[in-house]
Amino acid sequence: MVQKMKLAYIGGGSTAWAWKLMSDLACDETISGEVLLYDIDMEAAKRNEKIGNLSGKGRFVYKAVPTLPEALKGADFVIISILPGGLDCMESDVHYPEKYGIYQSVGDTTGPGGIVRAIRTIPMYVEFAQAIEKYAPNAWVINYTNPMSMCTDTLYRVFPKIKAFGCCHEVFGTQRLLASMLKEVKGLENVQRNEIKVNVKGINHFTWIDSAFYKDIDLLPLYEQFAVKHYEGIDNNDFDEDDSCRMYSFKHRIKFDLFLRYHKIAAAGDRHLAEFCPGQWYLDNPDVVKQWGFGLTTVPARREEYQERYENAMAVINGTREFHPEESGEEGVHQMKALMGMGDLVTNVNLPNQGQVSDLPLGRIVETNAHFTSGKITPVIAGELGGVPHAMTIRVSDNFDQVVTSCLKDDLSGCLSAFQNDQLVTRISHGQAEEMFMAMLKNTEAYLGSYKKIW
Amino acid sequence: MVQKMKLAYIGGGSTAWAWKLMSDLACDETISGEVLLYDIDMEAAKRNEKIGNLSGKGRFVYKAVPTLPEALKGADFVIISILPGGLDCMESDVHYPEKYGIYQSVGDTTGPGGIVRAIRTIPMYVEFAQAIEKYAPNAWVINYTNPMSMCTDTLYRVFPKIKAFGCCHEVFGTQRLLASMLKEVKGLENVQRNEIKVNVKGINHFTWIDSAFYKDIDLLPLYEQFAVKHYEGIDNNDFDEDDSCRMYSFKHRIKFDLFLRYHKIAAAGDRHLAEFCPGQWYLDNPDVVKQWGFGLTTVPARREEYQERYENAMAVINGTREFHPEESGEEGVHQMKALMGMGDLVTNVNLPNQGQVSDLPLGRIVETNAHFTSGKITPVIAGELGGVPHAMTIRVSDNFDQVVTSCLKDDLSGCLSAFQNDQLVTRISHGQAEEMFMAMLKNTEAYLGSYKKIW
Amino acid sequence: MVQKMKLAYIGGGSTAWAWKLMSDLACDETISGEVLLYDIDMEAAKRNEKIGNLSGKGRFVYKAVPTLPEALKGADFVIISILPGGLDCMESDVHYPEKYGIYQSVGDTTGPGGIVRAIRTIPMYVEFAQAIEKYAPNAWVINYTNPMSMCTDTLYRVFPKIKAFGCCHEVFGTQRLLASMLKEVKGLENVQRNEIKVNVKGINHFTWIDSAFYKDIDLLPLYEQFAVKHYEGIDNNDFDEDDSCRMYSFKHRIKFDLFLRYHKIAAAGDRHLAEFCPGQWYLDNPDVVKQWGFGLTTVPARREEYQERYENAMAVINGTREFHPEESGEEGVHQMKALMGMGDLVTNVNLPNQGQVSDLPLGRIVETNAHFTSGKITPVIAGELGGVPHAMTIRVSDNFDQVVTSCLKDDLSGCLSAFQNDQLVTRISHGQAEEMFMAMLKNTEAYLGSYKKIW
Amino acid sequence: MVQKMKLAYIGGGSTAWAWKLMSDLACDETISGEVLLYDIDMEAAKRNEKIGNLSGKGRFVYKAVPTLPEALKGADFVIISILPGGLDCMESDVHYPEKYGIYQSVGDTTGPGGIVRAIRTIPMYVEFAQAIEKYAPNAWVINYTNPMSMCTDTLYRVFPKIKAFGCCHEVFGTQRLLASMLKEVKGLENVQRNEIKVNVKGINHFTWIDSAFYKDIDLLPLYEQFAVKHYEGIDNNDFDEDDSCRMYSFKHRIKFDLFLRYHKIAAAGDRHLAEFCPGQWYLDNPDVVKQWGFGLTTVPARREEYQERYENAMAVINGTREFHPEESGEEGVHQMKALMGMGDLVTNVNLPNQGQVSDLPLGRIVETNAHFTSGKITPVIAGELGGVPHAMTIRVSDNFDQVVTSCLKDDLSGCLSAFQNDQLVTRISHGQAEEMFMAMLKNTEAYLGSYKKIW
């Protein structure tokens, strides 16, 4: 028996997450249904409609639709993965702060780039939440867009009964690193990443692991030796890294350094971790970055990547290239199946804190494991962060909270306060930070129309 | 590859839980090892040694040992299932209160019988916890003994780092009832009880389900109709009921009645549920009990049951009867395997509250689902009880807390306060309750030697 | 300098609290202003207008107004003291349950009478809260009406920013008892009740004292001996008891009995305490009541009392009797002065729980000390109830919460669930309780017009 | 009737706090007793013995004693005010970090100086707590020593039942500033600082006021205008500033700047506030400091101040100068009197968090108002910090917590982690911070003998 399902995809012209989803839907023989693609770039959605229908083997039908309500009505699942503001905005987010000596390795989650990105994304998410409340109040909503915590938080603030969660593969890389460690130190081949059982907690892109087991092997003592041995860094070529990191190398040096300081495994990749720490630690200047062995995002490289994907899409559509669906390694389809009763799953996910992280405030979007089962996602009790990891994490979570609250109140001065308190921004004065903030808003003002008054 | 494990069984002469365990170990081809049986009745342990070795197919070796340290040293798992004080004590627990018009359907968990049973059991558990701390501090400890909450609480109070949890099959009956409902109303055959996914919370033998799904079917709306339709009661013969209920019938009338009042499914069997409610509701007198369609435990019947099991054991040992191990339906072996990394499991379990039940105090022993995986049990966030179910549950939990605290301080007057506030006891005056309490202590004084002074 | 203030009095025809207020305002030379009296019985308000203006010495002007908005506009303080439904309703509340063997000593706070009284009062309080939000959102609101907790809770649920608190003199009697103890055991004369410093916590009419000092004398050890010595009861004639108790004697036997059980001083009078305990303890039947030495409210006596007050009022108005204002011993005027910056005050008050009682849920109306100062009331951290006092208190608080929630949702079946779980009602079956509930609603239906459907 | 009391003074040779206490005791005619002075500098204690006995008018007898037990036995109150390590240590604490471009305005509370001071003070406080537990377990213990939070925390960790609280006058300056504002904007003369009623919350030297009233005047709207008007700074000569600030001027510019950003009044003086903020904001370099209008502590100036006090003491002892006791404006004596039942007091104090600050962890030392009364100090519910003030405060509180925990475990590497995460230290790299930390330990090693191993 094949399960029928209806999906709405907001950002349906996406060439990254949408293609992974199409692949995964194509590869799974137990499900079928309809995928409605909505995108402000209708042409992009139409391209994906074509590719999807080519790949879907008839089990899934793809259709680009011009409005959000058309996409949402009757949906069982809503997927949101958008690029808020395009690459020109991203150029400002990532590179403008360099004028002030502030370097960012990703620039979409925290730091000055993450906050300004949030400011333009939150009004879009207000619209999404309102439309979901109206047209698909019972649908499960999966968010992939960054800044993850603030996007997901906006959904819950606008429509508190929304059944939304945020998905991110960042922890998988650490599971793969631990599997690779098992190969090196125990000679164990072919350990799968989801056989590495971790207790993970924190906020998206800054989660911490305090328990990791493979079968009956406690991995933390092994990891301590591994971190010492490889403190100068290891090549991550063996690991099938995630999208945001693929084009840049990193060597796990920051992960090892943080472990030796705090005795917990920081679960994200080095490029994300660096941005959550005081700027002078790992991002002080390009030389320090180089010394820690990771790369900074450059938007020109991002532009090339996008162009390449566009050409790929056209080639598939024109029949000059075949689309071979392969399992992406992402968990979205497994999660949806679990919620339909097709097999339980315990994995990490972003949800409002109901106590799963005991030392972060209730209601904050946190990332921990959760149990996905028929009709329900239940987070597990992950415990406390404690110590310096707590201090670093709650500072960022407080800033996120203030940004979302301020945006929803149309109060950009509140966002500025958070911006000035950001761990990468405190290296400059209040006055310089304000000047930088205003310039970054100016650079991206095309997307700020919903704010009545730029402070 | 067969996993080797070492088990210590406290109460190793048991004819109920021990036999189920022996059966389950015999049936599982993936594990092997050694089981050390410790019991104050060494002869009983030796009988089980013989039966175990007959049934174990060589994969498991059973050995009765005369002391607790011998059993515990090197154990990976410690199982505790004892009958504290024997059937004479149980006779007093269950039947003595009838002189005061207080009827109990089980008498081992709450009510006057449950409290007096706790008073004699807690000193035994103090010894177990001390011995585990000394001889097997890293072992997983599984408790089956009632009163579950107070026994498990004692373990944690004496040795706070103990890796203990309490196991009970009481929720399984409700899963089976829901499966049977699916057959009746949807014609679905062969739904397995663990395909019914429930969110369960409360305290042992008084847990509440506020979400139940089979695949994508929400079971609560169906259950409401089912409860109305069968309000006069249904036969539970179809359901493979648990040990404590087997000899007595019940008809789910109380379960249906509570659902129609509070809109949550009470997950235990009627005979347990009745005891957690004000005594006048379902246990007012034998006529009322009859009208609600359930039976009261009688200790004479228990005695017959024990005698029958003893004869069975002798027959197996003497070779006049064969022991055919069959899977018991219990989850102990699955749980142990999950903890060794042999397959994750999400199931209900008794653990100290770390926030899994949001409206019961932290630290109290509560029952919710938990994720069993390599090296770790993590409870899930089950949410709040709310309303009258909360009021009824916290009253009992407060009483349990006071009993354990008082016993550990050698203060039986504190136990009396809880006893007088018990939901079955408040129908009589303070003075009568005190008289009854003193008589019940007197009846069981052989097991109260560790208290310096009977109040 | 005399402070000018504007008061609105809802229930301004009151002959109890209103007269005390008029006396206290007359006696205080530092304040002046205007008191607007609103009452559904306009004639009663007019009588108080006359009496007030006779007594006010020109400093306070009293005026009866026909509508709530006229009373509220511009008010600095709003006082609410009403008799919801009159004496006929009270007759049903207090005496109807006697048909089922349920005796009540007051019948206005908890128990079947308290709950039915709440059901008809809550809709009135919804109106008050809405009018206050509209016409006097910044006023301080003082509630004197019972059921105190549920009335105050309704105000906060309807208008969460209301600056309301509930006032009750019940604790004063215990302070006077402790002063009297000091006289007896230490020979200390003239100790004033507010020199007895107590830490009080719980819910109105069921608060507990775990710390009591007079200067540097710790009173709890003395009280223990005092309770033992006077366990058979003492006459309370020496104490100027509160209104609701005046006509009936009590002997502090229950207070002593509870202390010897739980080692905390129950701060209300025996007649209130009895109703919060399981009914069989102190209210089992009239003989038991007699044995505990307290009296049951009878509504005929209440009628006489009201008639007497009415005649008093007429005599004052007709000039056949003089009104001699004397300080009432109540704290309302002191509290208002403190809030206007005329002298700080720490006293017990009913407010939503923000953590002042650590083991009752946040948001529940609780009674503890609070600091009254210029522009602000701040509750103090009173700590936990613990043990059996916690179990008894939270049960009632849960029931109150369910009654208010249900009334606001127009769901009288939810009220019935709480009613059936009431500590005085659980002595009868669900069915009998439902029958009694329906009859009590019927008896008072003239005040239940806002409920769409009597369940 | 004069109340007799016995005080133990640890640090009894102090020339600052001890003299204030002697003055206040001399000025109060209602109390009498004995003060035992203990100091590692016995000569200094003897000088104070002489001065005290000259000033005490016979009501108080002062006696220097050579050991801690002699001082503590029988004490009703224990006062602790020590200078841990003397001025040479302070020189390193305050000035050594300047080599790394880190400037400190006080250097005794947080920042690199505060942390290193804590490391050498905590072992002394371990001894004090153990001695108090042994010799004066029921005494009230008043701490004046900085770092206040970590000293007080150490007392509670070592002896959890200690009745200790930390006293600081820092908030008084803000009350005086508000009184001065009332003079300026309302023409109100002679408003006393304790007539300004504030709700204060946070940690010592970094508390926030969200409610301030004088009689019925809400001061926050006035303060907003006042802060704007005086944004360039005002002279604080009018205000009788506290000891640690006396020798240096400041202009409230930081206080105004923080208010305009966060809409809460930061209650400490600018010199303390600056150190709790990211170092680049107000302490970036001496020019920035100058621009913000406050002075940096210099230890040479401290040395002069100490020498001057020493000469004063000798002059009094030699009779060449008279000691005129005057009320110091401190509250220590009022607090002690309140605890003896000689008049209630509500004032700010440092205590473990029992919920008085809702968004800081339970158990942390926090500063809020508390009610001092006969035999009891009860903190009030001060509410949440919220927003950026919360983010800044919890970071420091987390660091304090880690320092105390690490010192008690003899783990200086844990202290280093907190040190590297300090808001003034994050401007330098991990490596530089470690080098600085080790040098500062070396500079003060004479006081680090109780640590087994300098990391």
Side-chain angles (χ1 to χ4, degrees), chain C residues 309-363:
Chain C
R309 287 199 206 133
Y310 170 75
E311 284 162 14
N312 259 347
M314 291 312 295
V316 170
I317 289 165
N318 298 334
T320 60
R321 180 169 178 160
E322 251 184 288
F323 183 67
H324 290 296
E326 281 177 24
E327 282 194 26
S328 68
E330 299 298 332
E331 288 189 332
V333 169
H334 300 288
Q335 289 166 341
M336 289 188 274
K337 287 177 66 179
L339 292 169
M340 292 184 297
M342 300 174 77
D344 288 15
L345 185 67
V346 172
T347 191
N348 60 298
V349 68
N350 292 274
L351 282 171
N353 192 16
Q354 307 165 53
Q356 58 266 50
V357 184
S358 62
D359 56 1
L360 290 179
L362 294 178

Side-chain angles (χ1 to χ4, degrees), chain A residues 163-178:
Chain A
K163 288 155 61 181
F165 57 99
C167 255
C168 175
H169 50 197
E170 195 68 19
V171 173
F172 303 173
T174 296
Q175 292 173 309
R176 283 189 289 259
L177 177 66
L178 293 170

Side-chain angles (χ1 to χ4, degrees), chain B residues 56-266:
Chain B
K57 303 178 188 172
R59 276 187 299 94
F60 277 93
V61 175
Y62 291 81
K63 188 171 169 206
V65 294
T67 69
L68 200 43
E70 285 169 90
L72 292 174
K73 273 176 204 157
D76 301 306
F77 297 93
V78 178
I79 293 167
I80 317 179
S81 85
I82 65 169
L83 178 63
L87 288 160
D88 291 346
C89 286
M90 194 191 281
E91 178 115 30
S92 170
D93 293 348
V94 174
H95 295 302
Y96 193 84
E98 293 172 0
K99 292 192 202 306
Y100 292 82
I102 294 171
Y103 295 89
Q104 296 172 92
S105 28
V106 187
D108 68 354
T109 306
T110 180
I115 292 174
V116 171
R117 182 178 171 120
I119 291 170
R120 70 176 174 273
T121 310
I122 288 168
M124 303 174 192
Y125 270 68
V126 169
E127 275 188 52
F128 298 159
Q130 288 167 338
I132 290 164
E133 181 168 16
K134 190 160 177 193
Y135 298 109
N138 293 313
W140 289 102
V141 178
I142 312 179
N143 179 57
Y144 287 103
T145 309
N146 286 328
M148 172 63 78
S149 304
M150 292 188 269
C151 289
T152 310
D153 194 9
T154 303
L155 295 176
Y156 275 95
R157 298 229 203 169
V158 175
F159 175 27
K161 293 196 170 170
I162 200 168
K163 289 157 60 183
F165 57 99
C167 253
C168 175
H169 52 197
E170 195 68 20
V171 173
F172 303 173
T174 296
Q175 290 173 309
R176 283 189 289 260
L177 177 66
L178 292 170
S180 133
M181 172 186 86
L182 279 170
K183 185 173 166 188
E184 178 180 314
V185 305
K186 291 273 185 186
L188 292 168
E189 305 276 349
N190 297 324
V191 174
Q192 298 303 302
R193 75 138 189 98
N194 56 13
E195 292 179 294
I196 305 291
K197 305 296 180 176
V198 297
N199 186 51
V200 61
K201 52 196 163 192
I203 55 177
N204 182 246
H205 292 158
F206 202 53
T207 47
W208 299 84
I209 291 170
D210 64 355
S211 164
F213 279 81
Y214 170 69
K215 300 201 184 289
D216 55 354
I217 304 172
D218 185 348
L219 301 180
L220 261 75
L222 299 179
Y223 187 78
E224 178 147 23
Q225 296 168 30
F226 188 72
V228 169
K229 178 174 168 198
H230 293 292
Y231 185 70
E232 295 305 319
I234 54 176
D235 216 315
N236 69 351
N237 288 350
D238 296 349
F239 315 130
D240 177 18
E241 285 306 325
D242 73 88
D243 199 50
S244 65
C245 299
R246 201 170 44 195
M247 56 178 157
Y248 302 102
S249 60
F250 64 97
K251 293 176 150 185
H252 298 295
R253 283 205 72 189
I254 294 177
K255 191 188 294 290
F256 296 150
D257 192 55
L258 291 172
F259 183 82
L260 294 174
R261 297 188 183 286
Y262 309 126
H263 315 296
K264 293 190 180 101
I265 305 174

